[in-house]
């Protein structure tokens, strides 16, 4: 029977979280894992976390809400892919603890989507870095707000060094090695 797990993509805006999540979703479907749910920060903030801003308190609230949903899904054997900047280590660790306690050790897979801020800024997929530099957006992670990288992520993808396909292969290899997929 399919095991439940959460793939938690963390990293700067433009690092590649949504890109990797989308590719992984495809790869899992190709492997016959069809009951995958995707929780993307941008979409979550228009529904589950509508009205929340980007203070530390609101960011942590957003992460705890996403984590709560992720843990319910994983508990019911629904693999889920979360993309959220999730800049604060303690918040990520709280979600990890909740999922490991409820679902089991290994069910929380933290993927550090690692890319230098200069490269993210050059990509500027959404034009947000330009706005942050002009001061039009305050509290922008990596510019005038902190990002705390994971100490021991299960998977560490340096997106300025590997292709998206190589990054997803690293995650698939981890899932196979841990028996989370066949
Ligand atoms: N190796 C790579 N892995 C992932 N994305 C890459 C890679 N190389 C280049 N890119 C590009 O970087 C961009 C990453 O944007 P993406 O929207 O996935 O970032 P994000 O982390 O989800 O940002 P946000 O937090 O703003 O949602 C895409 O345009 C993607 O094509
Ligand atoms: Mg994204």
């Amino acid at each position: 029977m399919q095991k439940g797990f959460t793939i938690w993509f963390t990293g700067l805006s433009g690092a590649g979280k949504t890109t990797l999540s989308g590719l992984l979703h495809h790869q899992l479907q190709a492997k016959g894992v069809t009951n995958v749910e995707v929780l993307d920060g941008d979409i979550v903030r228009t529904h589950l976390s509508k009205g929340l801003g980007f203070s530390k308190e609101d960011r942590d609230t957003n992460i705890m809400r996403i984590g709560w949903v992720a843990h319910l899904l994983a508990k019911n054997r629904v693999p889920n892919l979360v993309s959220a900047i999730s800049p604060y280590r303690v918040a990520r660790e709280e979600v990890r603890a909740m999922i490991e306690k409820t679902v089991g050790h290994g069910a929380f897979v933290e993927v550090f989507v690692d890319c230098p801020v200069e490269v993210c800024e050059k990509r500027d997929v959404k034009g947000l870095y330009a706005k942050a530099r002009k001061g039009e957006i305050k509290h922008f992670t990596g510019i005038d707000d902190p990002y705390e990288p994971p100490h021991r992520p299960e998977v560490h993808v340096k997106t300025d060094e590997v292709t998206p396909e190589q990054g997803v292969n690293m995650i698939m290899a981890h899932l196979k090695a841990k028996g989370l997929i066949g």
Side-chain angles (χ1 to χ4, degrees):
M1 209 200 287
Q2 179 58 51
K3 288 184 178 166
F5 56 84
T6 296
I7 310 284
W8 191 281
F9 294 97
T10 173
L12 297 176
S13 178
K17 302 179 296 295
T18 299
T19 302
L20 291 176
S21 169
L23 270 177
L24 180 62
H25 194 184
H26 258 94
Q27 288 246 9
L28 286 170
Q29 282 183 320
K31 285 262 168 215
V33 185
T34 53
N35 62 331
V36 177
E37 192 55 70
V38 173
L39 293 166
D40 196 276
D42 283 341
I43 298 163
V44 166
R45 277 181 173 279
T46 69
H47 296 276
L48 184 66
S49 291
K50 192 171 179 175
L52 291 182
F54 293 88
S55 65
K56 181 177 188 302
E57 193 187 357
D58 278 7
R59 286 179 187 273
D60 285 347
T61 301
N62 178 44
I63 294 316
M64 292 315 294
R65 287 184 190 175
I66 299 174
W68 172 255
V69 175
H71 113 287
L72 291 179
L73 291 169
K75 188 174 74 165
N76 288 289
R77 302 177 181 277
V78 178
N80 54 89
L81 317 181
V82 175
S83 299
I85 296 172
S86 40
Y88 295 107
R89 202 175 284 128
V90 167
R92 295 193 306 266
E93 289 306 314
E94 272 188 53
V95 175
R96 173 190 290 278
M98 177 167 58
I99 290 176
E100 289 184 343
K101 186 174 167 216
T102 313
V103 189
H105 198 77
F108 183 84
V109 179
E110 189 174 25
V111 179
F112 180 21
V113 185
D114 185 8
C115 185
V117 69
E118 301 78 30
V119 178
C120 294
E121 188 166 1
K122 221 175 249 170
R123 290 178 182 166
D124 209 4
V125 186
K126 303 174 183 168
L128 296 176
Y129 283 91
K131 286 189 179 166
R133 287 291 183 201
K134 281 192 258 174
E136 290 171 14
I137 303 175
K138 302 267 184 235
H139 303 293
F140 195 76
T141 303
I143 303 293
D144 60 351
D145 224 43
Y147 179 78
E148 301 172 353
H151 289 313
R152 282 177 299 279
E154 275 72 15
V155 186
H156 186 166
V157 182
K158 297 184 179 183
T159 65
D160 63 326
E161 294 180 8
V162 302
T163 65
E165 289 72 21
Q166 286 169 326
V168 166
N169 287 344
M170 291 168 68
I171 302 165
M172 290 294 282
H174 175 87
L175 295 177
K176 279 181 203 158
K178 297 294 174 185
L180 293 168
I181 57 170

